[in-house]
Amino acid sequence: MDHFKERSTRDYFQKKLYSLEGLMERENRCIYEEPAFCHAACPLGLDAKKLIAFIEKGSFSEARAMLEHITPFPRILVYGCEAPCKKVCRMNEVGEGIDIPALERAAINHGSPKTGKGMLKFKKKQKAAVFGSDLFSLSLAAELARKSYPVSFYVSQADAVSLIKDCAPFLSEDDLAKEAKKLEAMDIKIIYSARLTKELFESEKKNFDIIAAARSFLSICFPGDLPDSRTLLSPVSQLLSSQNGDPNVLEAIFDARRAGVSADRIAQGLDPGSSRGEEGARESRLYTDMSEAVPSKRIPEPREGYAREAAIEEAARCIQCKCEECIKHCVFLQETGKYPRILTREIYNNVDIIMGDHLMNKTINSCSLCGQCTVTCPNGYDMAEICRDARENMVSTTKMALAYHEFALLDMLFSNDEAFLSKPQSGYEECKYVFFPGCQAGAIAPDAVFKAYSDLAGRLEGGVGLINGCCGAIAKWAGRTAMYEECEELLISELKKLGNPQIIAACPTCKKTLEEMIGAEVKGIWDILNENGLPAGALEYDRPLIMHDSCSARGDRDMQAAIRKLTDSLGCTLKEVPYNGDMTECCGYGGLVSYVNKDLASKMAQSCTKDEDVPYISYCMACRDRFAREGRESMHVLELVYAAPAGNPPDISEKRKNRLNLKRKLLEEVWNEEVIEVSPEYKIVIPEDVAEILDQRMILEEDVYDVIEAYHAGGSAVYDEKSGLLTSSLRKGNVTFWLNFTEDEAGEAGVYTIKGAYSHRMKVRTRYDV
Amino acid sequence: MTDNKVYYSVEAEENLICSKCGIPLEKTEAVFEYLDNSFPVELPACPKCGFVYVPEDLALGKVLSVEKVLEDK
């Protein structure tokens, strides 16, 4: 199977990422959009968190508009509400909860009413009548008027002020007058001083489609006719009325809201119980981390209410409850600016698109798959699973461009081909153990690998074989299942040849991947060193170090503890940081981020090493390398154990050379095999600044040699007479490599000095070539 | 797509010589191809051996940006 065949934008394959249920099940774990506790506790659905935020900004009019939106008589609400929101405020746990009703009053007092008439609304055909006055019927009459029903409101009072006063006796004279004025301005036909009798009701009801009444009217005229608890419709009289005989302010206003919904259903000829959605107070699933909330006391509200400044001060105490546990710790999520639920939906849609731009491809490939979100999220959201599934889906539907992961995949094949080594210990056909150092160890710290193998082979009984290659994690991260399976086949067959020995891994990712592959326990070299003691010559390190746990060790407390035991025996003094152990962050190598999104990978490494200016120690070679690349002093524990400091981080070409040199050294010195190297007859000089460009542009020295070899063998080049530079190119696989160079004759052999290099993936030809 | 359309054109500067054939490059009709899409362009090429020259600023500029767009199509 050709794993490196480019995709075609003309292939239209599609496979659903998840069933709709599977998608919903995942999305529902994210509680970012859950209402704050104060919001959820309000049966009217007032978003108190938002109202408080407005006040904190000094936007009192916006806050007032929120109140006017939820009830026609906001003064009645803010002075009479029993405020369940205040009781559930999380600040009560660390001090005093926010005085939300006092802030609502401040919003009414300091905010300006909305001006303008709003949109032109046409009156509805169905007419409504409301009999009798209590807070419920008053609110419902206004509610129905807002809904554009022509409303007739029969009351016993003689004027608006006494009507409001009877419904809300707790209001001050001033507020009474204001609410009365508001009532008069509403489009309601109020029949004052009406004689509220059953006769009146019977004679008038035929003129109306919707009829409602104060609860006292219902009880007197139709004793025993109780309103339905959900629709508030009384079965005999067909009157809408409040549920309780003596509702409190919030209940009365909430019942008016519910009765308004029933009125709509009746007007539409529907069952009043249908399509009502969620009504009333509810439990919020929101999680709020209170560990950093500063305890504070309520700003006392004077009789005349808060002044603007006092209201702003009280509002500023609000911690604006929200769950951002995953985002707080994850550089990837911070970079996307999205929370997991919305990110999941966008990834799902991205995978679903057949034609057009797949805008989330880079995002899908920028997750390090480290699993930190699963630990930080109160509900265990697993963004890694979703990104990995999306990658596999994209590969299987040929939507994954090779450009994202090709370099890493070729590097994996290099590890398992040219640089691969699988041998039993000299003198053994089958071994009790096999050492599996991992591809990055050989690339970054080859001396430590050489010494580690020599040490294990010398000290362990029963023979220690060696398999130096890639465990397949790279293919897994890239979503390339078929390549992983080929790697699995190779490793299983090599293990079989060695007599299926106990694997000793030196890399947490290899350990995890191989355990899944063979379905048996893989030991870490740290376990062996703890059991058998340190080798002679191990370096003692007396400066304090920060331990960075590998993201592959997340959830593996035994591994984390074994490493600390090992560093203890080395005499290291460890400083533990908060984001460690199961909470650890990825260095940017995981999930192949460093190949796809270099800037993000840099930020990840910086985030891991942000805490203190102390050297970092890790037990994953990729972490060691990435921290050093960001200019941090970092080391792998094996560099200390085997007194084999790896020095400056190698570039991409040195990583390959290190692996080849390690293989040669092992073959020559451990297995006494002769290795023949063929050198070209010419010399290639790569100055340091050009080597840096090669590293940045992911061009290997091997590619440079191949371009020069092709030119040397008679290939074409462009000679620029102005600069004196030659430019030649070579197509290798899916990439065309270009070199700028000079050619000097030094003795018989040519010397090529490389001056620049670049590449592109597009193929180019003249239009006459086929 | 018609054969007459040219998406991008690079002049062949006089100082560019094909080192193999010893003759100056000429502006030539060429094609970029990627993921089953092709774009007619005009690039300096050797009239004899057909070696097409893609300058660095073109490769890392326009070519790279078109590659990225196509990769996510």
Side-chain angles (χ1 to χ4, degrees):
Chain A
M1 183 180 176
D2 183 5
H3 300 299
F4 295 95
K5 185 178 178 294
E6 284 278 24
R7 64 181 288 254
S8 166
T9 54
R10 316 220 178 273
D11 286 342
Y12 305 122
F13 299 114
Q14 191 206 30
K15 196 165 90 184
K16 287 269 177 209
L17 183 58
Y18 300 119
S19 64
L20 204 57
E21 295 74 32
L23 176 69
M24 304 281 269
E25 193 269 318
R26 285 171 179 83
E27 284 185 345
N28 283 338
R29 283 189 214 166
C30 179
I31 50 174
Y32 182 89
E33 288 158 313
E34 278 287 304
F37 303 96
C38 50
H39 180 178
C42 177
L44 298 175
L46 176 73
D47 187 349
K49 182 175 113 175
K50 191 173 167 190
L51 181 132
I52 295 168
F54 276 136
I55 293 181
E56 195 185 348
K57 282 194 294 181
S59 306
F60 286 86
S61 298
E62 276 86 350
R64 178 175 167 148
M66 288 179 73
L67 292 163
E68 285 179 339
H69 179 73
I70 60 157
T71 174
F73 299 104
R75 277 168 209 280
I76 297 180
L77 179 70
V78 301
Y79 285 99
C81 179
E82 288 69 23
C85 52
K86 194 171 159 182
K87 294 187 193 88
V88 299
C89 176
R90 296 294 304 271
M91 285 300 285
N92 285 317
E93 294 164 28
V94 292
E96 287 183 335
I98 310 298
D99 196 343
I100 299 169
L103 289 175
E104 290 172 355
R105 290 189 277 272
I108 293 294
N109 292 335
H110 300 299
S112 313
K114 261 186 148 181
T115 51
K117 290 190 172 170
M119 276 169 50
L120 179 66
K121 282 185 182 170
F122 289 99
K123 284 271 178 206
K124 288 188 172 133
K125 282 182 189 158
Q126 291 88 350
K127 292 181 190 159
V130 181
F131 297 90
S133 54
D134 59 9
L135 184 51
F136 162 79
S137 63
L138 171 71
S139 299
L140 178 59
E143 210 44 79
L144 294 172
R146 270 192 186 188
K147 290 173 184 277
S148 302
Y149 293 102
V151 181
S152 299
F153 189 15
Y154 297 85
V155 296
S156 58
Q157 290 85 352
D159 55 56
V161 172
S162 41
L163 170 59
I164 298 280
K165 193 170 184 176
D166 286 351
C167 294
F170 46 83
L171 284 186
S172 68
E173 291 298 320
D174 185 37
D175 287 328
L176 271 179
K178 282 177 179 160
E179 295 297 60
K181 206 171 154 194
K182 202 164 178 189
L183 174 64
E184 282 168 343
M186 288 175 187
D187 196 3
I188 303 176
K189 184 180 167 193
I190 307 178
I191 298 96
Y192 290 110
S193 309
R195 287 197 62 232
L196 298 168
T197 59
K198 194 169 180 183
E199 289 68 39
L200 172 77
F201 171 71
E202 295 294 351
S203 69
E204 292 294 320
K205 75 172 187 185
K206 60 180 179 300
N207 301 321
F208 298 97
D209 307 281
I210 300 156
I211 41 175
R215 184 61 192 264
S216 54
F217 182 88
L218 177 72
S219 308
I220 292 164
C221 299
F222 299 94
D225 188 19
L226 296 176
D228 177 77
S229 62
R230 186 146 180 253
T231 63
L232 302 177
L233 187 68
S234 314
V236 177
S237 61
Q238 293 296 300
L239 273 166
L240 290 164
S241 190
S242 61
Q243 197 178 345
N244 297 324
D246 184 21
N248 64 33
V249 172
L250 192 54
E251 282 167 351
I253 295 176
F254 175 52
D255 281 357
R257 159 90 62 89
R258 288 199 289 158
V261 175
S262 296
D264 281 338
R265 300 289 173 275
I266 293 166
Q268 290 158 352
L270 300 171
D271 171 10
S274 68
S275 323
R276 298 186 69 97
E278 208 170 351
E279 290 176 303
R282 59 191 174 115
E283 288 279 314
S284 176
R285 294 194 300 138
L286 191 68
Y287 170 83
T288 298
D289 176 18
M290 296 300 291
S291 63
E292 287 172 19
V294 183
S296 56
K297 284 199 179 295
R298 207 168 278 152
I299 313 284
E301 186 196 22
R303 268 181 67 86
E304 67 280 12
Y306 281 139
R308 285 179 71 94
E309 296 66 30
I312 291 171
E313 204 182 326
E314 175 66 5
R317 296 201 307 120
C318 172
I319 56 169
Q320 291 285 310
C321 287
K322 57 183 167 291
C323 178
E324 288 187 340
E325 293 310 298
C326 55
I327 302 171
K328 259 196 241 173
H329 307 292
C330 172
V331 180
F332 162 68
L333 287 172
Q334 287 162 17
E335 190 83 353
T336 62
K338 291 173 178 136
Y339 50 91
R341 193 202 67 75
I342 198 81
L343 195 58
T344 303
R345 181 55 67 108
E346 287 185 16
I347 289 173
Y348 178 86
N349 290 344
N350 185 86
V351 167
D352 223 27
I353 300 169
I354 298 176
M355 292 170 80
D357 294 328
H358 295 76
L359 299 174
M360 295 300 283
N361 283 4
K362 192 171 178 185
T363 306
I364 289 167
N365 288 317
S366 293
C367 170
S368 69
L369 313 178
C370 77
Q372 189 203 40
C373 51
T374 314
V375 178
T376 50
C377 170
N379 296 323
Y381 209 98
D382 192 351
M383 212 59 235
E385 179 216 18
I386 292 158
C387 288
R388 200 170 37 237
D389 289 349
R391 291 182 199 182
E392 283 174 13
N393 181 298
M394 286 165 67
V395 170
S396 68
T397 55
T398 74
K399 279 184 196 149
M400 179 73 93
L402 268 166
Y404 285 113
H405 298 132
E406 189 175 44
F407 188 94
L409 293 168
L410 287 169
D411 204 53
M412 169 180 154
L413 293 192
F414 171 82
S415 296
N416 283 352
D417 183 18
E418 233 180 305
F420 188 71
L421 188 60
S422 172
K423 289 243 170 220
Q425 185 169 342
S426 290
Y428 290 85
E429 273 187 21
E430 292 192 343
C431 300
K432 190 174 173 194
Y433 301 97
V434 60
F435 181 43
F436 196 98
C439 59
Q440 295 304 300
I444 294 157
D447 280 355
V449 175
F450 184 85
K451 289 182 179 174
Y453 177 68
S454 309
D455 176 41
L456 295 175
R459 288 203 285 164
L460 296 181
E461 298 288 328
V464 182
L466 175 77
I467 298 182
N468 197 13
C470 171
C471 62
I474 289 177
K476 261 194 173 179
W477 286 338
R480 305 267 166 184
T481 315
M483 283 184 81
Y484 173 75
E485 283 165 2
E486 280 177 19
C487 174
E488 185 176 26
E489 204 177 307
L490 169 76
L491 296 181
I492 298 273
S493 110
E494 292 301 325
L495 286 167
K496 197 174 168 193
K497 280 187 220 164
L498 296 173
N500 289 323
Q502 165 68 51
I503 304 175
I504 302 169
C507 162
T509 305
C510 295
K511 178 179 182 313
K512 198 169 149 186
T513 311
L514 293 171
E515 277 180 345
E516 279 173 22
M517 187 185 285
I518 63 170
E521 192 207 2
V522 169
K523 286 201 166 200
I525 188 170
W526 40 89
D527 298 320
I528 304 292
L529 290 168
N530 283 335
E531 283 163 25
N532 296 275
L534 290 171
L539 287 183
E540 288 207 353
Y541 201 85
D542 49 9
R543 280 169 64 197
L545 289 161
I546 292 180
M547 169 63 75
H548 176 80
D549 282 298
S550 159
C551 55
S552 291
R554 198 185 308 286
D556 191 339
R557 298 282 167 92
D558 290 345
M559 194 196 298
Q560 295 165 17
I563 294 291
R564 282 160 177 76
K565 193 174 168 196
L566 184 61
T567 51
D568 256 7
S569 57
L570 283 162
C572 299
T573 313
L574 290 189
K575 288 186 89 169
E576 295 286 354
V577 287
Y579 302 128
N580 228 347
D582 287 351
M583 292 281 281
T584 193
E585 296 172 79
C586 173
C587 66
Y589 185 78
L592 306 176
V593 185
S594 60
Y595 296 97
V596 174
N597 195 337
K598 278 190 178 184
D599 293 343
L600 181 66
S602 277
K603 285 183 191 168
M604 287 175 175
Q606 286 161 14
S607 179
C608 291
T609 54
K610 63 180 174 282
D611 292 279
E612 284 182 64
D613 205 9
V614 175
Y616 280 77
I617 187 163
S618 63
Y619 44 103
C620 165
M621 212 46 97
C623 298
R624 185 257 182 240
D625 183 57
R626 294 211 39 79
F627 297 166
R629 278 183 162 242
E630 292 301 322
R632 286 301 206 158
E633 194 176 341
S634 82
M635 65 196 77
H636 190 280
V637 66
L638 290 184
E639 290 174 67
L640 293 183
V641 171
Y642 291 107
N648 291 332
D651 65 26
I652 51 168
S653 298
E654 286 164 340
K655 280 184 183 174
R656 286 209 171 184
K657 269 190 276 181
N658 284 346
R659 274 173 280 178
L660 287 178
N661 290 340
L662 173 65
K663 177 178 176 179
R664 196 186 61 218
K665 191 176 175 188
L666 283 163
L667 283 174
E668 285 178 348
E669 296 180 24
V670 177
W671 282 279
N672 297 317
E673 289 182 19
E674 200 184 343
V675 181
I676 300 158
E677 265 191 279
V678 185
S679 304
E681 58 190 11
Y682 46 83
K683 198 178 162 202
I684 293 176
V685 179
I686 302 174
E688 217 169 280
D689 57 333
V690 177
E692 267 177 41
I693 291 176
L694 292 176
D695 191 49
Q696 280 164 16
R697 296 183 178 173
M698 310 296 277
I699 300 171
L700 291 164
E701 266 181 34
E702 186 191 313
D703 304 323
V704 172
Y705 274 75
D706 290 344
V707 179
I708 293 294
E709 176 61 30
Y711 170 75
H712 191 80
S716 297
V718 176
Y719 178 67
D720 186 336
E721 287 181 325
K722 265 195 216 162
S723 64
L725 285 183
L726 282 156
T727 304
S728 189
S729 69
L730 179 71
R731 183 80 183 171
K732 280 183 74 180
N734 294 315
V735 182
T736 304
F737 295 96
W738 289 84
L739 288 185
N740 301 319
F741 56 97
T742 57
E743 182 179 21
D744 304 301
E745 298 296 331
E748 284 190 9
V751 176
Y752 296 99
T753 308
I754 312 302
K755 300 289 186 183
Y758 55 97
S759 68
H760 54 78
R761 299 183 69 88
M762 282 211 189
K763 270 190 207 164
V764 67
R765 59 172 176 85
T766 65
R767 262 186 261 181
Y768 320 111
D769 299 338
V770 181
Chain B
M1 192 188 300
T2 64
D3 272 356
N4 299 331
K5 189 168 181 184
V6 171
Y7 282 81
Y8 200 84
S9 188
V10 179
E11 293 300 321
E13 292 168 36
E14 284 173 11
N15 48 309
L16 298 178
I17 312 287
C18 174
S19 70
K20 189 173 165 186
C21 309
I23 51 173
L25 301 194
E26 285 174 12
K27 187 157 102 175
T28 308
E29 291 184 334
V31 188
F32 272 119
E33 291 169 326
Y34 195 45
L35 313 182
D36 278 352
N37 298 268
S38 56
F39 306 92
V41 290
E42 289 175 334
L43 292 175
C46 172
K48 196 170 163 198
C49 69
F51 181 78
V52 185
Y53 174 50
V54 181
E56 179 168 345
D57 53 355
L58 175 62
L60 301 183
K62 192 81 184 163
V63 169
L64 181 64
S65 62
V66 175
E67 279 173 8
K68 284 193 183 299
V69 169
L70 289 175
E71 279 156 12
D72 294 336
K73 277 281 171 204

